[in-house]
Amino acid sequence: MNQPMIRVRDLRKSFPARRVLDGVSFDVARGEAFVIIGGSGSGKSVTLKCILGLMKPDAGEIMIDGMATRPADAGLMARFGMLFQGGALFDSLAVWENVAFRQIHTGAMTRAHARDSACETLGLVGLGEDVADLLPAELSGGMMKRVALARAISARPDIVFLDEPTTGLDPIMADVINDLIVSVSRRLGITTISITHDMASARKVADRIAMLHDGRLVWQGNAADIDRSGSAHVDQFINGRAEGPISMSVLRP
Amino acid sequence: MNPLASIGATFLAFLAAAGRIVLFAALGLASSVTPPWHVRNIARQFIDIGYYSLPVVGLTAIFTGMVLALQSYTGFSRFEAEGAIAGIVVLSVTRELGPVLAGLMVAGRVGAAMAAEIGTMRVTEQIDALLTLQASPRRYLVAPRLIAATLILPVLVLVADVIGVLGGYLVSIHKLGFNPSAYLASTIDILEPIDVISGLVKAAVFGFLIALTGCYHGWHSRRGAQGVGQATTLAVVSGSILILTFNYIVTEIFFSR
C-alpha cells in the first residue's frame, strides 16, 4: 500500500490578530522532496511548525507514516531533522558538538564516537574535519547553513524539514546548498519538506511544489509543471510581478 | 476605559503573571529534582555563577564590612558603646548584608546574563532546535541554572561573610585602634550558628529566585534586540524585588520568636 509519509488534512491555525492557516491539505510520499512556496506571512512557517509539533494547530489532522501526531512528541522527533532559517546552532558548543548533539544527548553514542560520526556527516555536506572544533560564531553564512544541514541529517532521520534553506546566501552559495540538499536527501533516502520564497531553490530541490497564499494552498503539482500551472497566483509569484491577484499591503507613491 | 475596569484588568494581569511564574518555577523545580541531569551544563553554571561572581561579591563584602565598622563607631561613640562594633559587624554581615548584597550583585551580574542568553536562544529558534533534537529545553537550560544558583549562592555568601567581617576587623584594628584579640574574641562570643545558617538559607532562596527570574524572562522574551533587552531589565528588577521581599519572609521565619 502506498501510504504517504506525511498526510496533512484541513489544517487550521489562528492567532488573536489573524487567521494564518485556513484548511491546508496535502500528502508527501516517502522519499519525496516537497516544497511549499509563498510570500512572507502566507503561513509557511506555521505549517512547518505544526507538522513538527512545535505548534498546536486549532484543527486538522497530521499523520506521519500513518500515525497521528501529538505536539512535541519525543518519539516522532527521533524521526525528524530540522534546518532552521538562521541555523539555530548552539553558540556555546563547537561545530561537532552541534552536529552530534542528538546522539550525545540521547546517550546513543559516547562523545568520542559522536565526534567521529559528526566529522563523517560534516564530510557529507562538504566540510572538513578542520571546522569541527570551531564555534558557530567563527563560521561564514554558507558554512553555518552546511553545519545546520549536517545537524539536521546527522541522526539519519526519515524526514527533514528545511526552513528557507537559502535565505541570506549569495546565489552561488545558495546553489551549492541546494545541490547538497538534493544529493544528501537522495543518498540517505530522506523525505523533505522545504519552505521557501526562492524560486531557483524550489525548482532545483522539489519533486512537487505547493503554493500557499492567505492560509490556503492555491496550487500543488509536479515541479516540472509549475510554469504551466494555470494559477494566476503561481504565475505572479514565480515571475515576481507586483501586479496580479496577490496584493502586498504597501503604500503606493 | 472605565477606571474600575482598568484597575480590574491590571489586577487580573498581575494575577496571570504571578500564575505564569509560579507554574514556570514548579516545572523548573520538577526538572531540577528528577533525572536525567545535564552534568556538564550544571558544572558550567557553577563556574559562571560561583567562580566568576567571587570578585564582585568579595569587593562588595569587604567595603560593606569596612563602612559598617566606621559608621558604627561614629554613631555608637555618642553612647560610649564602641565595644558593640564587633558584634554589630558580624551579625549585620552574616544575617543581612552578606546574603542581601551578594544576592543583589549576583542578580545584576548573573540574572541579566541568563535572561540575555536564554532570550537570544528563544529569538534565534535555538530553544525550538533543542526540542527537535529530542532535548527538553527546561532540563537543558532551566534546571542547571536553578540547581547551580541555589547551591552556589550559600558558598558565595559564606565567602562574603568572612570577607565582610575581615573588612570590619581591618578598619577597627588599623583605623579605630581596637585590640585585635579582644575584637576577635568579641566577634566569636556574639556569633551563634543560627546567625550564619539563616544567612545561608537566605542565600539559597535568593539563588533560586535569581535563576528563576533570569530564566523566566529570557524564556518569555519577545522578538528582536528590544525584546531581549527588556527581558534582561525585567530579570534584574524583578529578581531584586523578590530578593528584598523574601529577605523579610525568611527573616520573619527565623527570628520572629
Side-chain angles (χ1 to χ4, degrees), chain A residues 226-241:
Chain A
I226 194 156
D227 291 315
R228 43 183 187 279
S229 66
S231 161
H233 289 87
V234 173
D235 284 344
Q236 185 189 353
F237 188 82
I238 65 175
N239 293 306
R241 287 195 301 261

Side-chain angles (χ1 to χ4, degrees), chain A residues 49 83-91 144 151 163, chain B residues 116-130 218 221-225 228:
Chain A
K49 286 186 173 176
L83 185 152
F84 287 87
Q85 187 174 348
L89 299 175
F90 305 126
D91 307 322
M144 218 180 271
R151 185 174 71 178
D163 184 358
Chain B
E117 188 176 352
I118 295 179
T120 305
M121 290 186 76
R122 167 65 72 196
V123 302
T124 56
E125 299 188 297
Q126 291 179 52
I127 292 182
D128 284 344
L130 280 171
S221 171
R222 284 184 292 116
R223 287 195 169 274
V228 177

Side-chain angles (χ1 to χ4, degrees), chain A residues 89-95 97-98 101 134-137, chain B residues 41 44-45 48 117 121 126 140-141 145:
Chain A
L89 299 175
F90 305 126
D91 307 322
S92 58
L93 301 181
V95 163
E97 289 174 304
N98 266 284
F101 185 91
L134 298 177
L135 288 171
Chain B
N41 287 11
R44 198 194 120 197
Q45 291 305 322
D48 276 358
E117 188 176 352
M121 290 186 76
Q126 291 179 52
Y140 190 79
L141 297 173
R145 286 164 172 80

Side-chain angles (χ1 to χ4, degrees), chain B residues 15 23 47 50 63 69-70 76 92 109 113 117 121 123 138 164 174 183 189 204 210 218 221 230-231 245 249:
Chain B
L15 289 182
L23 185 64
I47 293 167
F63 284 115
L70 207 54
F76 283 24
S92 303
R109 203 190 79 78
E117 188 176 352
M121 290 186 76
V123 302
R138 279 185 211 281
H174 296 292
Y183 186 92
D189 278 351
I210 290 165
S221 171
Q230 197 177 27
T245 309
I249 294 169

Side-chain angles (χ1 to χ4, degrees), chain A residues 49 89-90 102 105 111, chain B residues 38 40 125-126 132 134-135:
Chain A
K49 286 186 173 176
L89 299 175
F90 305 126
R102 192 195 301 242
H105 171 76
R111 286 179 68 81
Chain B
H38 291 276
R40 276 174 174 270
E125 299 188 297
Q126 291 179 52
T132 66
Q134 295 174 265

